[in-house]
Amino acid sequence: MKPPPQVPPAGTGGWAAPPGGSGKPSAMDALHEAGIHAAVALQAGPPWLEQFWLFLTSHLDPNSIYTVCFPLARGLDERVSLMVLWIALVAEWLNVVLKWFLFGERPYWWIHESGLSSQEQLPLRQFPVTCETGPGSPSGHCMILGAALWPVVTALSKGVSRYTRSRLLRLIPFLIYILLLVAMGLSRIFVLAHFPHQVVTGSLAGMALGWGLQRWPPNFLKCRFFLLTALGLLLSALALHGLATAAGLDLDWSLRRASARCWEPAWLRPETRPWASLCRVSGSALGLALAARHPLSRRAAEELRGLEPPLGSAALGLLALDMLHKLPKSDEAALWYLNVGARYTLGPVLVASLLPQLILILRRLRAAP
């Protein structure tokens, strides 16, 4: 199959020798080739390890931060859960913009576009989670996970410090966090979605972003701030895309390469496209605005704190979001994106406002004579 037209600028992949050169691959090509051989080594591992990589990359994707980590974080603290959501949406927006302008390759198409697959026998396989359609750098899985889990890890570390003065024990949550990021990075290399340098940069960027955003948290009771954030993130992404297109940059090149090199068309999931991410981001910010518009009263919040840790609210929120996101979507593109935005708008309202009030009403009814 011929390579798709309008590929990214030279230097982002391929083995073409420079004029008058020796024909040796560039430093980036050598980095990509080393990543391919790392994927070969990982895919040669035992079957149980393969199942672990697939489970990790499938169940801790960016979507799960909004639908699983966000509601479960209420088991620690309401503010921690809101910080998880806030940091995740900022990290995902930034990840989309970086991918647009860094033109990162993905292993599953680079081995063909570069000609490496015709030079070596590579025992590599694709999986249903392989065929991401956006550019590859930096890794969104690692960046968003690393950023969004930072408030959870710091809250756990503070919780441990209440019971022990041991510095080693206080570092255990951070150690688990680092190991989780390493495992996530290896899983993304295993499924041929990313090169090693992309998961490293994504993890480091996520950690830095999580640390920085936690130091300057927003006021979660300010509806106007989150309303302007939702509008600003969407309009700024549209403006950047329009300016890049006007400047002659082709930001849809990765979709054509993904379509050409993915083994199964059904594996090209629409939720991996940049505009799906932007719908998720803008919808979540709008949901935070609506939740801030109708917060719990001070008395209700104090009564709910009596359930510490609020495991009931966390479990109910997890169940509600699971049911919400399992509802069918329209096949028409515009309606599909609108549907995604609406679901992620409703999520924060359910978890941060409606369900806690429902729990309080049920408790009061149960306590009534």
Side-chain angles (χ1 to χ4, degrees):
M1 185 176 296
K2 294 182 179 180
Q6 301 180 30
V7 296
T12 60
W15 282 64
S22 62
K24 293 182 179 180
S26 67
M28 184 57 71
D29 293 327
L31 192 61
H32 285 155
E33 185 183 4
I36 293 296
H37 289 297
V40 170
L42 284 171
Q43 290 197 3
W48 66 266
L49 193 55
E50 173 180 321
Q51 294 304 313
F52 174 72
W53 298 137
L54 292 176
F55 176 86
L56 198 62
T57 199
S58 300
H59 291 82
L60 272 183
D61 60 350
N63 175 65
S64 69
I65 301 299
Y66 300 84
T67 60
V68 178
C69 297
F70 164 53
L72 284 183
R74 290 187 69 85
L76 294 172
D77 182 75
E78 178 187 7
R79 187 173 180 82
V80 172
S81 69
L82 293 175
M83 282 301 297
V84 166
L85 183 61
W86 167 244
I87 292 176
L89 69 89
V90 174
E92 184 158 16
W93 181 88
L94 184 59
N95 183 260
V96 168
V97 172
L98 288 174
K99 284 181 174 178
W100 273 344
F101 296 101
L102 292 180
F103 295 102
E105 302 279 357
R106 288 190 185 269
Y108 78 92
W109 73 56
W110 183 86
I111 57 175
H112 302 288
E113 301 294 332
S114 65
L116 182 62
S117 60
S118 62
Q119 298 177 19
E120 296 185 39
Q121 291 294 326
L122 298 169
L124 290 172
R125 293 166 290 153
Q126 291 185 15
F127 304 90
V129 292
T130 294
C131 299
E132 302 274 347
T133 59
S137 187
S139 166
H141 278 63
C142 293
M143 182 172 174
I144 299 166
L145 182 70
L149 289 189
W150 188 268
V152 174
V153 173
T154 53
L156 289 174
S157 181
K158 289 179 181 178
V160 172
S161 67
R162 296 174 188 168
Y163 301 98
T164 180
R165 294 183 179 180
S166 171
R167 182 174 299 179
L168 179 61
L169 292 178
R170 290 199 298 261
L171 289 176
I172 287 179
F174 286 97
L175 177 60
I176 296 174
Y177 167 76
I178 295 296
L179 291 176
L180 181 60
L181 282 179
V182 170
M184 175 58 75
L186 291 174
S187 75
R188 301 302 288 159
I189 297 168
F190 173 85
V191 299
L192 300 182
H194 287 291
F195 292 99
H197 69 278
Q198 294 171 343
V199 301
V200 171
T201 54
S203 298
L204 294 177
M207 293 169 68
L209 196 59
W211 174 83
L213 290 176
Q214 184 168 267
R215 287 176 63 88
W216 293 282
N219 184 343
F220 289 106
L221 297 179
K222 287 192 174 182
C223 172
R224 182 179 298 179
F225 170 80
F226 291 106
L227 192 60
L228 292 175
T229 297
L231 190 62
L233 291 176
L234 183 59
L235 292 180
S236 60
L238 289 170
L240 287 171
H241 189 279
L243 289 173
T245 302
L249 293 177
D250 178 17
L251 299 185
D252 296 324
W253 65 275
S254 64
L255 179 58
R256 287 191 296 276
R257 286 195 172 177
S259 300
R261 300 304 182 183
C262 184
W263 289 358
E264 295 288 341
W267 294 351
L268 293 166
R269 296 165 292 141
E271 56 265 28
T272 67
R273 298 184 181 183
W275 295 111
S277 292
L278 293 174
C279 287
R280 184 160 53 221
V281 164
S282 300
S284 297
L286 180 58
L288 283 174
L290 295 176
R293 184 73 175 173
H294 300 285
L296 289 173
S297 66
R298 180 176 299 180
R299 179 180 177 184
E302 290 176 353
E303 185 177 349
L304 192 62
R305 289 191 193 101
L307 293 171
E308 289 291 347
L311 296 177
S313 182
L316 192 58
L318 182 65
L319 178 61
L321 292 188
D322 181 65
M323 295 175 62
L324 174 66
H325 289 278
K326 284 182 177 178
L327 293 174
K329 299 185 184 73
S330 171
D331 292 331
E332 202 278 321
L335 290 177
W336 189 91
Y337 284 115
L338 185 63
N339 190 294
V340 169
R343 292 176 195 230
Y344 284 91
T345 299
L346 186 56
V349 179
L350 281 172
V351 173
S353 180
L354 296 181
L355 292 178
Q357 293 186 42
L358 177 61
I359 289 176
L360 289 176
I361 291 172
L362 293 176
R363 288 187 70 234
R364 290 167 181 169
L365 289 175
R366 184 178 180 181

